[in-house]
Amino acid sequence: MGDLRLHVDTRRFNVALGEFAAYSKKSGLEVLLDQSRLFVQKAIGLTPPGKGKANAAARKRGEDAIRDDLHRIFKPKDRSYLEYLERIAGTNQVVSNVLRKKDGTPYLIDFDVILQGRDSLVPFHLAHRSQVTGHVFQVNRDVTTGRRKIDQGRGDIAFVPRENYAWFERRVLARVGLLAGGWNRSAKRLGARVPAWIARHGEDRGAVTVTAGSEGVMRVTMENDVRFASQVAGLQSRIQQAVDWQARAMERRLEYFKEHAGRRAGFR
């Protein structure tokens, strides 16, 4: 299963699939592919930032989460102000005693790094991100000094030029939908619809295999190979939910077929 190894219970799905195929004029393989297509659409909709649908609201939710993360560690400012800070600090390290109020108390207490170049934004961001969740580490304020400190000595918040921040934000926002993009190859093979903001990530982070054995064994195996997929909290339960939703959809259709056996359009 590549990087994503999920153990989901497919027994209910398999039972419903077998009974559904018995009512259909389509072959067993055609029914399996149809239901697999509907499943992967649900899986994409439930994969973060989706909460059931991979729509504009899901995309915005993902982008807003990224902006919140970036604003924890970056503060865009005019270059003239950054140059002023560097002059009075003598370095790109701005400490709390550089700027003081008239009574002598420091008022610059939340920031201490100036990053002028674009190249410095990427490593700074990576150093402040969790390799497990992908989110920026929580910033806590020291109760004594008032300075914001990030756990494990990752430093404080950085001043950056506005234009550099805008460039970097666009770069990071372009990753929204990457996790769901791990289903792109499965979706294309099965004919499932994928919104452009997920499809843009291509098909090289997943795989799909359709098996139709001579002894009647049929199987569709889907893989999501996004590097951090297995570390996303709650993803397994979401995919289980997608399986259960599709099983229930087949069960509802079966109830209808049984109740209207004489008027089943397209079924025996």
Side-chain angles (χ1 to χ4, degrees):
M1 290 290 290
D3 191 62
L4 179 54
R5 293 177 171 84
L6 301 178
H7 301 283
V8 294
D9 187 348
T10 62
R11 288 175 294 181
R12 179 180 178 182
F13 180 91
N14 292 338
V15 169
L17 182 70
E19 193 171 355
F20 192 85
Y23 275 84
S24 176
K25 284 186 175 180
K26 295 181 178 181
S27 69
L29 180 59
E30 288 174 323
V31 171
L32 174 59
L33 293 177
D34 282 347
Q35 296 304 313
S36 297
R37 170 178 55 81
L38 295 170
F39 158 75
V40 77
Q41 285 184 185
K42 289 181 171 64
I44 290 171
L46 284 165
T47 299
K51 291 185 177 181
K53 293 183 179 180
N55 53 16
R59 177 178 181 173
K60 183 178 185 300
R61 188 161 49 244
E63 291 176 343
D64 287 347
I66 285 175
R67 289 190 178 96
D68 287 346
D69 267 1
L70 294 181
H71 289 162
R72 289 180 180 178
I73 58 173
F74 293 119
K75 292 296 178 182
K77 298 290 181 180
D78 293 336
R79 282 190 180 273
S80 58
Y81 183 69
L82 302 188
E83 291 167 357
Y84 162 72
L85 283 183
E86 285 184 320
R87 284 199 304 271
I88 63 174
T91 176
N92 74 328
Q93 191 78 15
V94 182
V95 295
S96 61
N97 62 1
V98 169
L99 298 178
R100 292 181 176 273
K101 299 178 183 179
K102 291 183 178 180
D103 63 3
T105 59
Y107 70 85
L108 183 65
I109 59 175
D110 285 342
F111 317 92
D112 73 353
V113 179
I114 302 172
L115 302 178
Q116 292 279 21
R118 285 185 176 183
D119 292 343
S120 59
L121 301 185
V122 175
F124 189 86
H125 183 226
L126 289 176
H128 289 72
R129 287 179 62 205
S130 165
Q131 296 301 307
V132 175
T133 66
H135 288 294
V136 168
F137 291 98
Q138 182 63 42
V139 180
N140 297 312
R141 190 181 297 274
D142 187 280
V143 296
T144 302
T145 65
R147 292 176 60 78
R148 289 181 173 180
K149 289 295 182 181
I150 298 176
D151 292 340
Q152 302 179 31
R154 290 181 175 85
D156 287 330
I157 296 171
F159 283 116
V160 298
R162 293 187 191 280
E163 65 274 18
N164 288 0
Y165 177 81
W167 165 82
F168 187 67
E169 183 184 80
R170 289 193 300 271
R171 171 181 172 141
V172 181
L173 288 178
R175 293 176 58 84
V176 171
L178 179 63
L179 181 58
W183 305 113
N184 281 345
R185 181 163 294 179
S186 297
K188 183 176 180 179
R189 169 65 178 83
L190 299 168
R193 297 186 302 274
V194 180
W197 59 277
I198 294 175
R200 65 183 174 179
H201 296 292
E203 303 169 19
D204 60 348
R205 296 181 178 85
V208 58
T209 303
V210 178
T211 303
S214 58
E215 299 180 357
V217 176
M218 297 177 294
R219 181 180 295 109
V220 175
T221 303
M222 305 177 201
E223 300 179 14
N224 184 323
D225 292 329
V226 174
R227 180 178 54 82
F228 57 88
S230 62
Q231 300 170 336
V232 176
L235 185 57
Q236 176 163 315
S237 63
R238 290 177 182 231
I239 302 307
Q240 180 68 63
Q241 186 178 1
V243 172
D244 293 341
W245 278 5
Q246 196 53 41
R248 179 55 185 150
M250 284 189 286
E251 291 167 353
R252 287 195 298 267
R253 290 284 286 165
L254 284 167
E255 291 170 3
Y256 175 84
F257 296 151
K258 292 174 182 178
E259 292 174 3
H260 303 82
R263 295 178 293 157
R264 293 185 305 235
F267 281 76
R268 291 194 297 268

